[in-house]
Amino acid sequence: MRVTIADVARRARVSKATVSRVLNNRGEVDAATAIRVREVIAATGYTPSAGAVGLATGRTRTIGILVPDLASPWTAAVLQGVADVLEEHGYGLLVSTTHRGPDALTRFARRVSGKSFDASLLVEPPDQPSYLAELHASGLPIAVVDDRREHPGFACVVADHRAGAGAAARHLLAAGRTRPLVLATGGTRCARERDAGFAEAFTAAGHRVTHRVLPAATRESGATTTADALAAGATFDSVFAHADLPALGALDALRAAGRRVPEDVAVVGFDDSDLATHADPPLTTVRRPARSVGEAAARMLLANLEGNPFPTDPVVVPTELVVRTSA
Amino acid sequence: MRVTIADVARRARVSKATVSRVLNNRGEVDAATAIRVREVIAATGYTPSAGAVGLATGRTRTIGILVPDLASPWTAAVLQGVADVLEEHGYGLLVSTTHRGPDALTRFARRVSGKSFDASLLVEPPDQPSYLAELHASGLPIAVVDDRREHPGFACVVADHRAGAGAAARHLLAAGRTRPLVLATGGTRCARERDAGFAEAFTAAGHRVTHRVLPAATRESGATTTADALAAGATFDSVFAHADLPALGALDALRAAGRRVPEDVAVVGFDDSDLATHADPPLTTVRRPARSVGEAAARMLLANLEGNPFPTDPVVVPTELVVRTSA
DNA sequence: ATGAAAGCGCTAACAT
DNA sequence: ATGTTAGCGCTTTCAT
């Protein structure tokens, strides 16, 4: 049988209430009694039942996180940041995934109303306003990690895409590059931020940027788009891709065309994935601080649970230009 | 206020017991009553409190997983597999990490004895026999994912390194390669399996393999070890690396030495990481089925919870040779 | 087929 | 400073 608080109370010749008090350092307890109780606890290896504590207090010391999937480096790193902070504060992390379809969302909502956790964190949640609204209405503290910043009304943590793109631009400018080709990804909010941050710096310096939108954020589309630009006679001395994969593609196309990187054309990516380190040449890129984003989000949630209201504006985590060889 | 089972009972004009029966399809309930109860449930949006159910039944429908860290592609993929299976069966996943030091282990043990979950899964747990024994003694169903296979006494899921290495060897042999250079990683169990599987095939064919142990499973060590072998006059027509990163290093050294891949030397890696796809040339490699391993482990745990005993031998998940360009 | 009541293991008023 | 007493929201005998 498991040892319960009643067992401890009996063996220490006190009431359950007293045991509870020493357990939680609450209320006044005689020093000697406390010691005795602690001894019994140690001797029996007693650990409070999480479920019972949760039922009695209404708090589970667990937070729920909903991520698109676990295998992508970005979400995995965010998760790591969240887990670190929560662990440090003695909170548990209950993970759910949306990648198996919309049922997952329902199930998550179920857990929310089942009070499986005290707060929850949504990482790039799918746009299903009904569920989101429902979650919001549940009264549970909710924070969102979403660079698309598409969920007003929720406390939010985002990476600073604009500043990152700006840093990339200034790095290129400092190296004397004046005619960049931008390989942009779709029309998400963060893509617009990157465009804005990059273009801003170049136009401020009196230069124009050539802008292409990629059909997909893949290596292939990066390659063909770059090759097309080359074939169309576009003159550019640098490439800024909205992701590392297309940057790799640009590298391919450039090599195929006999352009040297970075001598003839400098290339900058975005994300700082593993691939960037191992690219040939190693890719200069803007690091998306997944880990820090996760940490910030977790801290925000924890602060909220302690009574501090959520910040009204998105928390912006700085990005960082990682200079390697390609630019 | 949250709606409780008592609220539902009142509105449906039945007792809590009946609502509970309807909820769990247990015992005989009049069809009409059941319908009425379900209507009230739907109307009120009632969801049972997970904590209360847990307290009453002694089961939380949650399993705990302990991983070294969340950011590595291998553990992330295992986790994904686990999450998929659990989600499908309505189980929750509580994640802990050991990467912040040994406290994490203590905390995990605490949750175990706090009955936060029904079973737990250890992914490549650190060798701290005391804690492991303690966990084992807790009576909680525990499974281990650990290719090192170093924890006898625990139910275990592993990838078939030996067969994977064998497949790599046969692929090389079929291509007429007869003098392979093996770039081995440290003395773990799985490294020995790979060595054995690979050597077996080559010696059976009457060929000898050159064997080097890498100081580390990095790209650099793969490169220098290969370069050294070349400089030492070793003649080899193929390289089998125990991981993708050193295989990439071999590619580097080979290129630097003017050897063409795969014409002069074929290269095979192990893991099938992202890097393999994007290597130049794309790397032929043995896929470690992280996802399937996670799924198998989760299924094993679930089966155990339903009363089936754990298999006594490790569950072996097949690996797969992914043929690309390098071999 | 359904209800009443006890109890899961804890916390939190309220007494003393 | 400590004990008593109610719950928290559910499941589960045991009656009826």
Side-chain angles (χ1 to χ4, degrees), chain B residues 4-5 16 20 24 46 48-49:
Chain B
T4 73
I5 198 175
K16 295 191 296 173
S20 177
N24 307 293
Y46 166 69
S49 147

Side-chain angles (χ1 to χ4, degrees), chain A:
Chain A
M1 266 314 284
R2 266 183 57 75
V3 16
T4 73
I5 198 173
D7 301 328
V8 175
R10 201 173 314 119
R11 291 191 40 164
R13 314 178 153 285
V14 294
S15 72
K16 295 192 297 174
T18 299
V19 177
S20 176
R21 284 194 264 262
V22 337
L23 241 25
N24 307 294
N25 315 302
R26 226 192 297 288
E28 299 301 295
V29 179
D30 183 88
T33 322
I35 289 175
R36 188 152 36 92
V37 171
R38 274 190 242 281
E39 279 169 359
V40 175
I41 290 179
T44 53
Y46 166 70
T47 314
S49 146
V53 174
L55 188 53
T57 59
R59 338 193 77 233
T60 57
R61 288 194 80 80
T62 296
I63 86 119
I65 187 168
L66 184 64
V67 298
D69 74 312
L70 292 160
S72 106
W74 162 255
T75 49
V78 170
L79 209 61
Q80 179 72 70
V82 172
D84 286 351
V85 170
L86 292 185
E87 242 153 54
E88 189 180 328
H89 292 262
Y91 271 76
L93 179 59
L94 201 47
V95 177
S96 297
T97 278
T98 56
H99 94 131
R100 287 182 59 83
D103 304 11
L105 221 36
T106 319
R107 260 199 263 274
F108 189 77
R110 205 163 218 59
R111 286 191 182 274
V112 167
S113 42
K115 282 236 162 291
S116 291
F117 30 75
D118 299 339
S120 72
L121 186 54
L122 275 27
V123 178
E124 288 173 5
D127 271 314
Q128 265 185 268
S130 58
Y131 281 117
L132 292 178
E134 201 174 301
L135 289 182
H136 203 188
S138 73
L140 196 83
I142 296 186
V144 176
V145 166
D146 193 346
D147 285 345
R148 299 168 303 177
R149 214 175 305 187
E150 278 169 348
H151 304 282
F154 286 102
C156 182
V157 179
V158 300
D160 198 341
H161 290 251
R162 170 182 283 255
R170 282 188 301 279
H171 177 72
L172 255 18
L173 281 164
R177 313 286 171 165
T178 56
R179 297 186 311 276
L181 167 66
V182 171
L183 264 24
T185 49
T188 62
R189 168 91 191 208
C190 62
R192 288 196 297 278
E193 295 276 332
R194 296 195 269 237
D195 278 336
F198 191 83
E200 219 167 61
F202 267 90
T203 56
H207 304 298
R208 305 204 43 175
V209 333
T210 306
H211 190 272
R212 298 286 155 98
V213 175
L214 299 167
T218 63
R219 182 165 179 171
E220 290 66 34
S221 83
T224 58
T225 305
T226 305
D228 289 353
L230 245 19
T235 70
F236 51 89
D237 56 13
S238 48
V239 175
F240 173 57
H242 277 192
D244 286 341
L245 234 30
L248 254 44
L251 253 26
D252 296 338
L254 259 7
R255 170 173 322 143
R259 310 291 179 103
R260 293 166 307 161
V261 174
E263 293 82 353
D264 301 331
V265 179
V267 175
V268 179
F270 210 107
D271 280 353
D272 192 25
S273 57
D274 255 19
L275 263 19
T277 325
H278 292 284
D280 177 29
L283 193 65
T284 292
T285 185
V286 178
R287 172 174 300 155
R288 272 173 89 186
R291 191 94 141 229
S292 317
V293 164
E295 292 170 354
R299 264 192 263 280
M300 210 166 76
L301 238 24
L302 254 23
N304 181 269
L305 287 175
E306 275 157 16
N308 310 73
F310 280 127
T312 49
D313 292 324
V315 171
V316 179
V317 179
T319 48
E320 177 196 359
L321 182 70
V322 181
V323 178
R324 297 207 176 85
T325 316
S326 72

Side-chain angles (χ1 to χ4, degrees), chain B residues 78-170:
Chain B
V78 170
L79 208 63
Q80 179 73 70
V82 172
D84 285 350
V85 170
L86 293 186
E87 240 153 55
E88 190 180 327
H89 293 262
Y91 271 75
L93 179 59
L94 201 46
V95 176
S96 297
T97 279
T98 57
H99 96 131
R100 288 182 59 83
D103 305 10
L105 223 35
T106 319
R107 259 198 266 274
F108 189 77
R110 204 162 218 62
R111 283 190 185 275
V112 168
S113 41
K115 282 234 162 289
S116 291
F117 32 75
D118 298 339
S120 73
L121 185 55
L122 274 27
V123 178
E124 289 174 4
D127 272 313
Q128 267 185 265
S130 57
Y131 281 117
L132 294 178
E134 200 174 304
L135 290 183
H136 203 189
S138 73
L140 195 83
I142 296 187
V144 175
V145 166
D146 192 346
D147 284 345
R148 298 169 304 177
R149 214 175 305 184
E150 278 167 349
H151 305 282
F154 286 102
C156 184
V157 179
V158 301
D160 197 342
H161 291 251
R162 170 182 283 257
R170 284 188 301 280

Side-chain angles (χ1 to χ4, degrees), chain B residues 170-189:
Chain B
R170 284 188 301 280
H171 176 73
L172 255 17
L173 282 164
R177 312 288 171 163
T178 56
R179 299 187 309 276
L181 166 67
V182 172
L183 264 23
T185 49
T188 61
R189 168 93 193 206

